[in-house]
Amino acid sequence: MHNPYRVIVAGAGLGGLALAHGLRNQGLDVAVYERDAHPGARPQGYRIQLDEPGLTGLEHCVSPPLFRLCLATAGSPPARISVRNRHLDALADKAALRGSPAGDGQGPLAFNRPTLRQVMLAGLRDHVHYGARLTAYRHEADGTVTAHFADGRTASADLLVGADGVNSTVRRALLPEARIEDAGLRLIYGKVPLTGSARADVPPWVFDSIFTVVTGGPGHPHVGLGPVEFNARPEQAGPAHVPPVALSPVDDYVACMVGAPSDHPAVPPFEVLRALTPAQLRDVTREVLVGEWHEDVHHLLDLWDTHSLFALRISTAVPVPAWESRPVTLIGDAIHAMSPVLAMGANTALRDAGELTHAIAGAVGRGERLVDAVRAYENRMTDYAFSIVTDSRRTGQQRVGQRWIPPAESPLIGQGYMSLWSGV
């Protein structure tokens, strides 16, 4: 064993970065390896919603000043989740989860995902290695793990953590029996800008809830809307941090997404959908939302920033039986990708980071092996995470017609899967 312990995190998403912060704060030697060439190499989505589980996990991992910066660059819409029919009649309206770690009783928060990621990269820049696509790993005789990357690089550590998303290389090697299913939903995602006088053009009911679903019913299209109005401008809050953190300017916006079953006649196969231009994606949504949709819905789509549009396909994990713990483990979508309807994908990934940090800190303090910490974490994680996966699947089937697509019809290859609604 080594002192300090060495940990490799595969994947620089929110969960992987949070874990890197948490373990470094516990004195471990952590290196993050990310397949993308740089942080902005591909679309990372826009809005995410963090409730108590995610906020608690984030607070447990990052330093107090960085956590305060995360909160400062969030938005605080009304803590309600609304569901309306296509005529905008209310079907459900309930309070969202409350109780933030800030101790002020504040409800869930809306974050701009790229901004949150920039904050979390602060203090880790020398520890994140880009252009490093993990291809395999090998267990060594001394109990360590060697990671192999596509460019020929190798790295050894006492623990390898797969935070590498739905198409996880680590999961395929560790749990080849684990399955990820196509949920039968396709999504076109974009932003409605709120700059200048544009906010007045958005129907007021959009701002009444942290997230609103306008649904045509199970098996029919739906629209999701989530406002992001920053408590503090990122480009101002970042430089005010000590030490300063450079954050890209971002204007307020409404995340706006149109979802439809994969077999909807206006929705092409995903490989075709993903290759369409933003203008063509806009045309698809017009064909999807035909019929008696309220004029406000069509007006919102007229306000879309066409250049912001991209397509996604939704997936969900199949719970797996308990496995033998090794010096390799998984967090986030790499192990428990879930339907987005409960908005718990990012929340659960950040909870994973906090739980694993806590387990490792306890093991190190007691002089135990890291694999003992991994076992404790996996026992807890599989209990809470897969119950959420099941609940998300059930709610998705009831609310938007989520369904199972046989693997032979929908091979999970390449990019394009994301846990969504407020989890993107």
Side-chain angles (χ1 to χ4, degrees):
M1 305 295 285
H2 301 271
N3 190 21
Y5 293 109
R6 297 173 296 168
V7 178
I8 292 172
V9 178
L14 297 180
L17 293 176
L19 179 65
H21 275 283
L23 296 183
R24 277 179 47 77
N25 290 339
Q26 296 296 325
L28 279 73
D29 180 5
V30 183
V32 180
Y33 289 85
E34 166 59 44
R35 67 180 180 182
D36 289 343
H38 55 84
R42 59 188 169 92
Q44 294 288 320
Y46 304 120
R47 172 195 177 277
I48 66 166
Q49 175 184 319
L50 293 186
D51 299 274
E52 189 278 331
L55 291 170
T56 298
L58 182 62
E59 184 185 36
H60 189 77
C61 290
V62 303
S63 67
L66 275 186
F67 184 67
R68 289 193 293 270
L69 181 57
C70 291
L71 297 183
T73 54
S76 306
R80 297 163 55 199
I81 306 294
S82 299
V83 182
R84 298 171 179 262
N85 65 19
R86 68 177 68 191
H87 307 293
L88 299 187
D89 301 316
L91 301 178
D93 188 349
K94 64 178 182 178
L97 294 175
R98 300 191 65 85
S100 78
D104 54 11
Q106 189 173 11
L109 301 176
F111 292 82
N112 183 53
R113 183 188 180 101
T115 299
L116 184 58
R117 193 164 181 243
Q118 284 184 324
V119 172
M120 294 174 66
L121 281 168
L124 292 177
R125 297 192 187 280
D126 294 338
H127 303 275
V128 181
H129 308 277
Y130 294 98
R133 180 172 63 85
L134 182 73
T135 57
Y137 65 81
R138 182 179 70 248
H139 292 282
E140 306 293 356
D142 63 357
T144 61
V145 180
T146 300
H148 294 260
F149 302 95
D151 61 2
R153 277 181 285 181
T154 63
S156 295
D158 300 285
L159 175 65
L160 168 64
V161 181
D164 47 347
V166 174
N167 294 307
S168 171
T169 299
V170 180
R171 183 193 65 247
R172 287 196 294 267
L174 178 66
L175 300 171
E177 70 279 13
R179 293 189 295 119
I180 303 292
E181 296 176 351
D182 184 338
L185 296 175
R186 305 294 181 257
L187 207 70
I188 296 174
Y189 189 53
K191 299 195 294 185
V192 172
L194 296 178
T195 53
S197 61
R199 191 185 194 280
D201 292 331
V202 176
W205 57 265
V206 172
F207 302 100
D208 290 343
S209 303
I210 192 168
F211 199 77
T212 299
V213 181
V214 183
T215 176
H220 295 278
H222 65 274
V223 178
L225 300 156
V228 179
E229 297 182 281
F230 297 100
N231 294 328
R233 308 291 304 174
E235 64 272 24
Q236 297 171 356
H241 181 267
V242 181
V245 177
L247 298 178
S248 301
V250 186
D251 293 319
D252 294 344
Y253 63 91
V254 175
C256 179
M257 55 208 77
V258 174
S262 58
D263 59 359
H264 189 284
V267 177
F270 185 69
E271 290 69 22
V272 176
L273 185 69
R274 186 172 60 184
L276 296 181
T277 67
Q280 291 170 324
L281 291 175
R282 178 188 282 273
D283 291 340
V284 170
T285 64
R286 291 192 177 105
E287 295 179 33
V288 164
L289 296 180
V290 296
E292 298 180 358
W293 289 82
H294 194 280
E295 63 180 7
D296 280 1
V297 175
H298 294 290
H299 176 61
L300 283 162
L301 297 187
D302 289 339
L303 298 175
W304 246 354
D305 174 7
T306 300
H307 297 293
S308 71
L309 302 185
F310 63 97
L312 294 167
R313 147 176 73 181
I314 306 305
S315 60
T316 185
V318 177
V320 293
W323 62 90
E324 179 184 355
S325 296
R326 301 176 177 90
V328 179
T329 194
L330 300 157
I331 68 171
D333 282 353
I335 179 61
H336 51 62
M338 61 187 69
S339 172
V341 294
L342 296 183
M344 290 302 292
N347 281 284
T348 310
L350 290 171
R351 178 177 179 178
D352 293 346
E355 295 278 1
L356 184 53
T357 295
H358 178 76
I360 289 177
V364 171
R366 294 186 295 270
E368 298 173 351
R369 303 175 304 163
L370 284 190
V371 71
D372 296 325
V374 168
R375 183 179 302 108
Y377 156 73
E378 290 174 345
N379 287 341
R380 285 182 56 80
M381 179 270 293
T382 53
D383 183 48
Y384 64 73
F386 282 117
S387 66
I388 300 173
V389 170
T390 300
D391 289 345
S392 297
R393 180 196 297 264
R394 182 182 304 112
T395 303
Q397 290 170 336
Q398 295 169 348
R399 188 175 293 172
V400 294
Q402 175 181 327
R403 61 191 181 86
W404 176 65
I405 303 297
E409 297 181 26
S410 180
L412 298 190
I413 57 176
Q415 300 176 11
Y417 282 85
M418 194 172 292
S419 290
L420 245 163
W421 268 3
S422 50
V424 110

